[in-house]
């Protein structure tokens, strides 16, 4: 006797949430998540590399708990809100198939691997909410829905700049299928309601050395422009993983469409545009730029909406079973490796180098004797914010770091470290001579950590002026050369270290 799709849907909801919760509980807090935790402890209207939404969410959660599981509640819960949006759209066509589409979505990698806190977490939610509101507002000529679409698009914009791709998709859909006064008016309402969110981000950038623009447009894109076909193949592989070969096969195989009545056709066209325009833009970009696997996440749910036009119940059942088998097996394998890692894995060099992230509390315990007399630092922003999460003491980044480390420039003031003692925590054997110019004396100490070692560079009497010229000045030249056409109100880095050289735009 087969279960009804309604019961099967609720079983899927509970089973997937329990499995995700297990992983959220056992997987160590990551460096990226610690970065967003830092945002939550320093609430602001923006942050160095991205808009502030995930920081705001975590700041709210932290009023109740700052445990890794609590901080991971958004990626645990938000996909189920997205699934409710999918069901609300599809149930008017066929409630049974709508439930199957949601089941397939919930067992897909999009949901089952969606465990860690990222900037994409709120982006996915707001993109889905904006899309459903714009669809209803446009096709029903309903002003409240259009206002909500603009507000949710604004929330998406304050989550991540990829939200702009959704607005582009709206424009493409209107130009192709709603090229009339009603369509352009609807698009105008959405844009007007989104503008205040854009102005907030604009103000933050204007008063913070255009940090979002410098990071996302200039500092991280020095290699863009070189044709690399391998990037495109990697992007296709990422889509293959996110959608699974099973879903892609059933979507692409020839079928006779039997549900092409008027309401369904507008729904199919709309979500086809919202799916293929952003994914197509990423595909074009992938020929010259490496695409992160998380980049297309916000637009993946639109693919699952389209399944109702290509799948019958038997296809849904078969695809859901195959996809669930793969994702559940991967999740349990991850849990097993984290909880009880095989001996061969623990003896590998890669595992030993990753112990800093796998056992951060052990690292913190080993550093406790030094917290009173030394300023603790690392050479990696990821390591610094992870130690901050476990110690409650902000850990600065020593040395040039990378473009990812520039958020630390906002919080650290090396002028205050002058003539003080500093410890630099390293996971690889350091070159002592590298640090000699910045201190009166330098020594290196080793600390055992399971099968590997931590290295502590103890520097006494920090020489700020030398560090300013040899480290901070190259950072200024590499990361804070703001284009002349961007007007600014202050530059936190230059104002702090090179006020005599500051030139207003």
């Amino acid at each position: 006797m087969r279960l009804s799709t309604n019961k099967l849907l609720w079983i899927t909801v509970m089973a997937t949430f329990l499995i995700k919760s297990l992983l959220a509980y056992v997987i160590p807090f990551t460096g990226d998540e610690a970065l967003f935790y830092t945002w939550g402890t320093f609430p602001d209207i923006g942050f160095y590399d991205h808009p502030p939404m995930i920081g705001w969410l975590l700041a709210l959660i932290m009023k109740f708990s700052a445990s890794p599981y609590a901080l991971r509640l958004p990626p645990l819960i938000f996909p189920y809100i997205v699934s409710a949006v999918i069901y609300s759209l599809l149930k008017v066509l066929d409630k049974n198939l709508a439930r199957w589409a949601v089941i397939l979505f919930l067992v897909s990698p999009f949901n089952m691997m969606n465990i860690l806190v990222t900037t994409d977490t709120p982006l996915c939610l707001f993109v889905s909410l904006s899309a459903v509101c714009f669809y209803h507002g446009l096709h029903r000529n309903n002003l409240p829905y259009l206002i909500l679409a603009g507000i949710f698009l604004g929330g998406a914009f304050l989550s991540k700049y990829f939200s702009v791709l959704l607005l582009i998709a709206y424009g493409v859909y209107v130009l192709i299928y709603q090229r009339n006064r009603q369509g352009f008016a609807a698009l105008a309402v959405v844009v007007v309601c989104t503008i205040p969110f854009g102005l907030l981000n604009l103000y933050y950038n204007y008063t913070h050395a255009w940090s979002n623009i410098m990071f996302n447009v200039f500092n991280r894109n020095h290699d863009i422009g070189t044709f690399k076909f391998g990037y495109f193949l990697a992007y296709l592989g990422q889509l293959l993983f996110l959608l699974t070969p099973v879903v892609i096969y059933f979507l692409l195989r020839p079928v006779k469409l039997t549900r092409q009545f008027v309401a369904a056709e507008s729904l199919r066209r709309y979500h086809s545009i919202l799916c293929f325009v952003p994914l197509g833009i990423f595909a074009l970009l992938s020929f010259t730029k490496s695409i992160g696997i998380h980049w297309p996440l916000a637009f993946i749910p639109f693919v699952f909406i389209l399944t109702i036009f290509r799948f019958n119940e038997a296809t849904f059942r078969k695809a859901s079973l195959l996809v669930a088998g793969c994702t559940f097996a991967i999740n349990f394998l991850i849990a097993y490796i984290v909880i009880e890692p095989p001996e061969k894995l623990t003896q590998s060099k890669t595992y030993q180098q990753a112990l800093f992230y796998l056992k951060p509390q052990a690292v913190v315990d080993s550093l406790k004797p030094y917290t009173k007399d030394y300023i603790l630092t690392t050479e990696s922003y990821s390591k610094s914010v992870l130690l901050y999460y476990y110690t409650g003491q902000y850990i600065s980044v020593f040395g040039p770091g990378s473009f990812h480390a520039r958020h630390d420039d906002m919080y650290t003031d090396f002028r205050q470290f002058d003539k003080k003692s500093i410890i630099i925590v390293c996971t690889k054997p350091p070159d002592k001579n590298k640090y000699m110019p910045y201190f009166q004396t330098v020594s290196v100490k080793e600390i055992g950590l399971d099968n590997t070692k931590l290295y502590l560079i103890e520097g006494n009497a920090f020489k700020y002026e030398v560090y300013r010229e040899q480290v901070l000045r190259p950072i200024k030249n590499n990361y804070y050369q703001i284009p002349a056409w961007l007007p600014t109100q202050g530059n936190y880095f230059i104002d702090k270290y090179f006020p005599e050289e500051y030139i207003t735009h």
Side-chain angles (χ1 to χ4, degrees):
M1 180 179 177
R2 286 183 175 179
L3 292 172
S4 68
T5 51
N6 189 47
K7 288 183 178 179
L8 190 58
L9 173 58
W10 284 109
I11 290 173
T12 303
V13 169
M14 290 185 288
T16 54
F17 186 78
L18 286 173
I19 294 172
K20 289 178 63 179
S21 292
L22 170 65
L23 285 174
Y25 185 77
V26 301
I27 292 177
F29 209 52
T30 67
D32 280 354
E33 290 177 300
L35 166 62
F36 304 133
Y37 164 81
T38 304
W39 293 5
T41 61
F42 295 95
D44 204 343
I45 60 170
F47 299 99
Y48 171 73
D49 48 357
H50 289 297
M53 186 59 70
I54 191 62
W56 292 353
L57 281 173
L58 296 190
L60 178 62
I61 293 172
M62 286 160 55
K63 292 184 179 296
F64 305 95
S65 173
S67 70
Y69 183 82
L71 296 176
R72 287 169 173 169
L73 283 176
L76 292 181
I77 294 173
F78 285 3
Y80 296 93
I81 301 176
V82 175
S83 70
V85 170
I86 294 174
Y87 181 72
S88 72
L89 283 165
L90 301 183
K91 68 179 181 179
V92 297
L93 307 181
D94 187 312
K95 286 187 177 180
N96 189 53
L97 293 179
R99 294 188 190 107
W100 274 115
V102 172
I103 291 170
L104 181 59
F105 171 74
L106 290 179
V107 300
S108 72
F110 175 93
N111 180 45
M112 296 305 296
M113 305 299 172
N114 201 343
I115 296 162
L116 307 181
V117 179
T118 69
T119 50
D120 300 279
T121 300
L123 175 69
C124 294
L125 176 66
F126 285 120
V127 162
S128 293
L129 291 175
S130 177
V132 68
C133 288
F134 186 63
Y135 176 78
H136 290 313
L138 181 62
H139 293 93
R140 298 179 185 179
N141 196 24
N142 186 300
L143 182 60
Y145 268 122
L146 293 173
I147 292 173
L148 284 174
I151 292 172
F152 287 135
L153 182 59
F157 185 79
L158 290 183
S159 302
K160 204 166 189 176
Y161 291 136
F162 288 153
S163 57
V164 174
L165 299 180
L166 181 65
L167 183 59
I168 293 173
Y170 288 166
V172 171
Y173 180 77
V174 167
L175 286 173
I176 296 176
Y177 297 113
Q178 293 285 333
R179 197 167 54 250
N180 51 46
R181 180 178 296 179
Q182 179 182 327
F184 290 122
L187 192 61
V189 170
V190 171
V191 171
V192 168
C193 292
T194 306
I195 285 175
F197 299 88
L199 290 177
L200 180 67
N201 184 254
L202 185 68
Y203 175 76
Y204 173 81
N205 276 280
Y206 173 67
T207 57
H208 288 78
W210 296 97
S211 62
N212 292 172
I213 305 303
M214 294 302 294
F215 175 81
N216 289 289
V217 178
F218 299 103
N219 294 339
R220 69 185 303 185
N221 291 314
H222 294 302
D223 61 337
I224 198 168
T226 304
F227 179 84
K228 294 183 179 179
F229 189 67
Y231 286 166
F232 174 70
L233 295 178
Y235 174 64
L236 294 183
Q238 292 165 6
L239 292 181
L240 190 67
F241 173 77
L242 292 172
L243 295 172
T244 74
V246 174
V247 171
I248 292 176
Y249 168 74
F250 285 124
L251 277 173
L252 296 180
R253 71 171 183 168
V255 294
K256 184 179 180 181
L257 302 181
T258 58
R259 291 180 291 280
Q260 282 188 302
F261 46 90
V262 176
E265 183 61 12
S266 64
L267 190 70
R268 185 187 66 82
R269 288 174 174 174
Y270 179 75
H271 287 96
S272 294
I273 294 294
L274 264 57
C275 167
F276 295 131
V277 168
L279 296 185
I281 291 174
F282 284 136
L284 292 174
L285 185 61
S286 70
F287 285 107
T288 59
K289 174 73 177 175
S290 177
I291 305 296
I293 192 171
H294 56 291
W295 289 20
L297 279 180
F299 309 100
I300 293 298
F302 301 139
V303 178
F304 288 90
I305 291 174
L306 296 176
T307 58
I308 200 169
F309 302 102
R310 309 287 297 181
F311 291 29
N312 56 32
E313 183 171 0
T315 305
F316 270 123
R317 188 182 299 275
K318 186 184 299 182
S320 299
L321 184 62
L322 290 172
V323 172
C326 292
T327 54
F328 287 14
I330 292 172
N331 281 17
F332 281 120
L333 179 62
I334 293 172
Y336 171 73
I337 291 175
V338 171
I339 296 171
E340 194 66 37
E343 185 178 350
K344 285 188 177 180
L345 178 62
T346 60
Q347 294 175 350
S348 68
K349 187 176 181 180
T350 301
Y351 180 88
Q352 292 174 10
Q353 290 179 351
L355 276 176
F356 190 100
Y357 297 97
L358 296 173
K359 296 185 178 182
Q361 190 58 57
V363 175
V364 170
D365 292 341
S366 67
L367 296 175
K368 282 182 180 179
Y370 304 92
T371 55
K372 183 179 179 180
D373 300 322
Y374 291 88
I375 298 170
L376 296 182
T377 68
T378 78
E379 293 181 297
S380 158
Y381 194 54
S382 176
K383 291 183 175 69
S384 285
V385 291
L386 193 63
L387 289 181
Y388 171 50
Y389 175 76
Y390 283 96
T391 63
Q393 172 186 341
Y394 187 77
I395 309 296
S396 299
V397 177
F398 191 91
S402 69
F403 57 80
H404 292 294
R406 305 284 56 89
H407 195 78
D408 179 68
D409 296 338
M410 295 181 174
Y411 301 146
T412 296
D413 188 345
F414 280 99
R415 295 174 301 180
Q416 298 177 0
F417 296 174
D418 193 30
K419 297 181 174 60
K420 294 183 179 180
S421 298
I422 296 175
I423 276 188
I424 307 160
V425 184
C426 299
T427 54
K428 296 180 180 179
D431 178 5
K432 181 180 175 180
N433 294 327
K434 173 183 172 183
Y435 307 93
M436 289 295 294
Y438 313 124
F439 300 98
Q440 194 70 39
T441 61
V442 174
S443 61
V444 178
K445 186 175 292 185
E446 296 181 3
I447 296 179
L449 182 66
D450 283 1
N451 297 328
T452 188
K453 295 178 181 179
L454 283 179
Y455 300 90
L456 305 184
I457 301 145
E458 300 180 12
N460 295 296
F462 175 62
K463 301 176 183 179
Y464 165 71
E465 289 298 333
V466 176
Y467 188 84
R468 175 182 183 264
E469 293 303 317
Q470 296 190 17
V471 176
L472 298 178
R473 185 173 293 281
I475 289 174
K476 176 182 76 75
N477 295 335
N478 290 332
Y479 301 111
Y480 291 96
Q481 296 302 307
I482 302 173
W485 49 269
L486 281 175
T488 62
Q489 186 184 76
N491 184 316
Y492 56 87
F493 189 85
I494 297 178
D495 289 347
K496 186 161 48 178
Y497 298 123
F498 305 95
E500 72 281 0
E501 300 179 20
Y502 183 70
I503 302 175
T504 58
H505 290 177

